[in-house]
Amino acid sequence: MSQGNALTLSGLKKNFGRAEIIRGVDLDVRDGERHVIIGPNGAGKSTLFNLISGRMEVSAGEIKLFGKPIHNTPPHKVNRMGLSRSFQVTNLFQNMTTMQNLRCALLWGMGHKYAFWKLVNKQQEVTERAEQLMEQLNLTHRRDVPAGLLTYAEQRALEIGTTIGSGARVLLLDEPTAGMSRSESDEVVELIRQVTKDCTLVMVEHDLGVVFNLADRISVLVYGEIIATDAPENIRSNKAVQEAYLGTEVH
Amino acid sequence: MSTVQQETLAGSKSAGNIWVKRAWPWLACLVIALLAPTVLSSGHDIHMLSSMAIMMVFALAYNMLLGNTGLLSFGHAVYFGFGAYIAMHALRWSNNAVLDGTGYGVPIELIPLVGGLAGLFFGIIFGSFSTKKAGVVFAMISLGVVGLVEASSLAFTGFFGGEAGLFGDREDVNSLLGIEYGRSLTVYYLMVFWLFVCALLMFLLRKTPLGWMANAVRDNPERAQFVGYNTTTVRFMQFSLSAFFAGVAGGMFVLVEEIVTDEAIGFLLSGEVLLAAYIGGIGFFFGPIVGAALVVYLESNLSSISDAWLLYFGILFITVVMFAPMGIVGIIYQQWFNFRSGGWKGTIPARLYCTVTALIGLLGFICIVEMAYHYLRSWNPSAPMTLFVTTVDTTTALPWLVSVAILLVGLGLMLFHARPMLRRAVEAAGGNK
């Protein structure tokens, strides 16, 4: 069974001092699915992402990526093992242009590592792949604009581009549509659909429209525990979920 | 259309043009460097030019840390110093080999390379633990390391030569090209060669994957990790390579001075290279080059004109840090850009006026400082003192009053008349600063 899982969390706990934020999470993310985690504010969604991506150390339990343990591994190693993440607050190389951001994201995955004997601009493959990505992100016309000067929606798109750039097979997206208008968020969802075709996607999202539109399966995280994991329609009709979370928002 | 296509298109049409565009600053610098000794031809001047070349390499190496990787080091002279000492040992060993007739030794042209390898070696050792963290931690460790090394330079006299330092002779060495390097002009051309080799390599380094990721780690270490890079490794590699070039500068220093003392490895030089890089502009490749030239020029000439030169030097640094953090090259670039886009239109008189009033204020300030130095430090304060074109007696009130008046008039005009005027002119011209 575990062969079909991209990501396995078992008995995962995280506490800051005496405050327990994640209180024993078990979760299987199947290979190739789009898995959305929902839950009220403060449920621990972002902490969960930080644990999976290596940004924080776990207090107990384990995380496996395609069967290999990745908990308490530094972020760059987790990334090299094929897991990449985006951030809730845009986290780019602000002074670099769109093109440069994408190239930076591509370098390691395309095997250039710490090379100091070859020029970045001479690497045709990197340039072509970056341009292809830029095309997908609809950012071609913003090629040489520093990331800090892009519009918010463009920055979010670039954030997604940077995340998929490394060629990771498992992507964690932390609220990719946060702070966007309806039409902007529709565009982003469409973008995510397109660029993550062959990947496993784990997403935190607040916008329930987006959630039910995109998700293959949904997990509901409440106070550091997952109270349900199921297909969207079953989640919608799940009593416990309705009480804990959806009841106030879905009519 | 993809830019690759554009690039290749442009390449096939006018490859020559692009090369000229890219290469002209380098060629201009090379011409200046080669012709400089015809204008500045005295022994003192040529020594100064050689020192500039050395400082340029060192400041460029330093900027690989500060500008490119965001690492503020207070102790980079350690690698310059170790480069210099080991290059000196290589030079002395080669001297002996030649004098005994027992061997060939290291050819003089390659002595800087020996220094570079020594810098690299010690860079790897000290960098392995000091680059674990950036920011304050790194700065503190660099301070600790330079303190440690400076203290040991007086303790281990066998290696460091104690207070007297170590001597070598650049004339009794073999040369790859069969050239005698007795004359300081010949050595200067060797310095120019090494300067251009190092500068070109450091320029290209910025464009490699490592150079890019150094910028990435400087701007956003967290994101750099999440695209697969170990920030410590990036810092460590930049640090080691920077130490290599600092060591080359140390090796060049040995050939020019033929003596190394603990000054080459201590706090003072570490601070000086920081000043040079910063004053020139750490955000620009050519910044440290300009900064190094200026710092060496001030050191070698201003110090013979005025006793207060260190004070001026300090004030220059503070001014740059406070009012022009992008450095001299940054200001020039900004103004040039401004000029080209028409931002100077209609504001030139106001700009000139502003500059002139500032200079008048500066003149008053210099008069006060010079007289104060004379009054406080001279054996006989009432002795006549030459100040620019006049001779004054610093024990009387008149010169002081005049100086203060000049300062106040200049400063007052600039702050309360010229600057508002410039602002109005700029606004009238379209708001471009």
Side-chain angles (χ1 to χ4, degrees):
Chain A
M1 187 62 214
S2 73
Q3 272 175 332
N5 287 339
L7 203 57
T8 314
L9 315 186
S10 42
L12 193 65
K13 287 185 183 170
K14 176 69 183 177
N15 51 287
F16 296 99
R18 283 163 65 191
E20 291 184 321
I21 304 301
I22 301 292
R23 306 188 299 172
V25 165
D26 297 292
L27 177 67
D28 292 329
V29 177
R30 293 176 195 148
D31 196 4
E33 77 172 338
R34 287 195 290 258
H35 197 115
V36 180
I37 297 173
I38 61 174
N41 281 329
K45 301 184 297 288
S46 290
T47 307
L48 194 62
F49 266 28
N50 287 339
L51 292 174
I52 298 172
S53 62
R55 200 185 189 193
M56 287 177 183
E57 300 208 334
V58 307
S59 303
E62 54 177 21
I63 307 170
K64 284 183 176 166
L65 179 68
F66 296 112
K68 287 188 195 130
I70 56 163
H71 50 281
N72 299 347
T73 308
H76 60 270
K77 289 199 178 144
V78 175
N79 185 275
R80 291 174 201 169
M81 289 168 78
L83 183 144
S84 184
R85 71 166 290 178
S86 77
F87 292 82
Q88 192 176 342
V89 177
T90 304
N91 200 350
L92 296 162
F93 303 119
Q94 299 284 328
N95 297 325
M96 296 190 189
T97 64
T98 305
M99 185 63 177
Q100 287 170 333
N101 267 282
L102 290 175
R103 276 178 166 158
C104 280
L106 290 167
L107 282 174
W108 186 277
M110 300 187 81
H112 295 295
K113 306 195 172 175
Y114 302 106
F116 53 85
W117 50 87
K118 49 188 174 191
L119 301 177
V120 174
N121 290 352
K122 296 275 179 207
Q123 307 307 316
Q124 286 298 347
E125 264 181 75
V126 177
T127 311
E128 277 163 26
R129 178 84 186 93
E131 266 161 7
Q132 206 182 325
L133 257 176
M134 211 156 43
E135 195 79 37
Q136 285 182 308
L137 301 168
N138 287 325
L139 289 173
T140 308
H141 62 296
R142 306 287 264 169
R143 185 182 199 272
D144 296 319
V145 178
L149 300 180
L150 295 175
T151 66
Y152 181 71
E154 287 168 340
Q155 289 189 357
R156 297 303 303 179
L158 183 55
E159 176 88 32
I160 292 170
T162 314
T163 308
I164 60 173
S166 62
R169 287 194 290 158
V170 179
L171 305 174
L172 309 186
L173 302 183
D174 197 352
E175 295 198 37
T177 68
M180 287 189 169
S181 70
R182 182 83 265 156
S183 64
E184 283 175 333
S185 92
D186 285 346
E187 273 175 39
V188 168
V189 171
E190 202 40 52
L191 177 69
I192 292 172
R193 232 185 248 287
Q194 281 173 16
V195 296
T196 61
K197 267 183 199 134
D198 312 319
C199 306
T200 307
L201 187 67
V202 186
M203 219 170 105
V204 165
E205 187 52 68
H206 269 305
D207 187 330
L208 293 176
V210 171
V211 172
F212 286 107
N213 178 1
L214 199 63
D216 294 327
R217 286 201 305 159
I218 297 175
S219 288
V220 185
L221 186 70
V222 179
Y223 294 118
E225 282 170 309
I226 291 202
I227 60 168
T229 298
D230 218 328
E233 55 275 15
N234 297 341
I235 288 288
R236 215 190 276 268
S237 57
N238 184 315
K239 278 274 179 328
V241 175
Q242 282 178 353
E243 273 169 33
Y245 180 49
L246 294 178
T248 52
E249 292 183 41
V250 169
H251 308 287
Chain B
M1 184 166 76
S2 84
T3 337
V4 186
Q5 283 170 327
Q6 280 175 0
E7 270 167 22
T8 42
L9 257 180
S12 58
K13 259 189 210 161
S14 54
N17 267 337
I18 281 182
W19 269 105
V20 169
K21 233 179 184 174
R22 281 190 191 154
W24 79 261
W26 294 86
L27 290 175
C29 287
L30 186 61
V31 170
I32 293 173
L34 292 179
L35 292 183
T38 57
V39 182
L40 302 164
S41 53
S42 73
H44 171 257
D45 284 342
I46 286 173
H47 179 261
M48 181 186 77
L49 289 174
S50 293
S51 303
M52 280 181 183
I54 294 164
M55 201 58 182
M56 283 172 187
V57 173
F58 190 25
L60 281 172
Y62 185 80
N63 206 38
M64 283 177 65
L65 291 184
L66 184 58
N68 296 359
T69 323
L71 293 173
L72 173 63
S73 165
F74 290 117
H76 215 46
V78 166
Y79 312 98
F80 180 94
F82 272 119
Y85 275 107
I86 300 226
M88 178 55 91
H89 282 293
L91 181 65
R92 286 160 67 94
W93 176 71
S94 308
N95 283 161
N96 288 337
V98 168
L99 291 178
D100 298 350
T102 51
Y104 190 81
V106 183
I108 181 166
E109 288 88 354
L110 296 183
I111 292 280
L113 186 63
V114 174
L117 294 175
L120 179 64
F121 177 76
F122 286 97
I124 289 172
I125 290 179
F126 291 123
S128 63
F129 59 86
S130 67
T131 54
K132 287 262 187 285
K133 290 266 175 352
V136 176
V137 178
F138 174 81
M140 290 300 144
I141 294 177
S142 75
L143 208 52
V145 168
V146 68
L148 178 88
V149 171
E150 195 171 20
S152 5
S153 74
L154 292 177
F156 300 98
T157 49
F159 179 79
F160 292 103
E163 279 184 37
L166 289 176
F167 300 84
D169 187 346
R170 66 179 181 231
E171 286 180 73
D172 290 325
V173 207
N174 283 309
S175 158
L176 278 180
L177 309 169
I179 298 173
E180 283 279 328
Y181 285 94
R183 290 171 63 215
S184 54
L185 187 61
T186 328
V187 175
Y188 169 70
Y189 285 118
L190 184 60
M191 296 300 111
V192 171
F193 167 77
W194 275 103
L195 168 62
F196 272 79
V197 169
C198 291
L200 199 62
L201 287 177
M202 283 188 265
F203 182 76
L204 291 176
L205 259 178
R206 291 156 56 102
K207 302 186 173 296
T208 64
L210 179 69
W212 276 50
M213 290 321 293
N215 285 354
V217 166
R218 175 196 65 195
D219 290 347
N220 191 344
E222 180 160 64
R223 184 41 118 175
Q225 285 192 299
F226 286 106
V227 296
Y229 279 86
N230 184 345
T231 52
T232 303
T233 310
V234 172
R235 283 191 215 108
F236 170 67
M237 293 185 72
Q238 277 287 110
F239 186 88
S240 306
L241 290 172
S242 167
F244 169 80
F245 288 109
V248 172
M252 291 161 70
F253 176 83
V254 163
L255 293 185
V256 172
E257 305 292 338
E258 299 180 280
I259 177 175
V260 192
T261 65
D262 58 341
E263 276 176 27
I265 209 164
F267 284 108
L268 223 59
L269 186 64
S270 301
E272 199 180 310
V273 74
L274 163 61
L275 295 189
Y278 204 97
I279 288 176
I282 57 170
F284 299 84
F285 180 77
F286 280 94
I289 295 181
V290 173
L294 182 71
V295 165
V296 172
Y297 177 80
L298 290 182
E299 259 180 2
S300 112
N301 285 1
L302 196 60
S303 58
S304 61
I305 298 171
S306 166
D307 288 336
W309 73 277
L310 260 178
L311 181 82
Y312 296 130
F313 198 61
I315 289 174
L316 172 68
F317 182 63
I318 293 172
T319 314
V320 169
V321 169
M322 286 184 65
F323 300 110
M326 65 295 220
I328 292 174
V329 172
I331 295 176
I332 296 173
Y333 179 79
Q334 198 186 30
Q335 291 303 327
W336 172 243
F337 194 75
N338 215 328
F339 178 72
R340 288 252 307 238
S341 60
W344 277 29
K345 207 175 274 174
T347 63
I348 292 173
R351 276 171 204 275
L352 272 179
Y353 179 44
C354 207
T355 314
V356 168
T357 49
L359 286 178
I360 292 174
L362 185 65
L363 175 74
F365 178 74
I366 290 173
C367 289
I368 294 172
V369 170
E370 289 301 318
M371 286 196 301
Y373 261 72
H374 183 79
Y375 184 78
L376 296 170
R377 302 195 29 172
S378 163
W379 287 109
N380 175 16
S382 62
M385 172 198 170
T386 322
L387 188 62
F388 295 107
V389 289
T390 59
T391 306
V392 297
D393 179 352
T394 54
T395 52
T396 59
L398 185 66
W400 290 93
L401 288 175
V402 172
S403 302
V404 172
I406 297 175
L407 171 66
L408 290 180
V409 166
L411 210 61
L413 275 179
M414 185 189 81
L415 290 181
F416 300 110
H417 193 226
R419 272 213 335 197
M421 188 174 169
L422 177 59
R423 203 169 293 146
R424 280 196 301 274
V426 167
E427 272 165 18
N432 207 342
K433 204 179 158 194

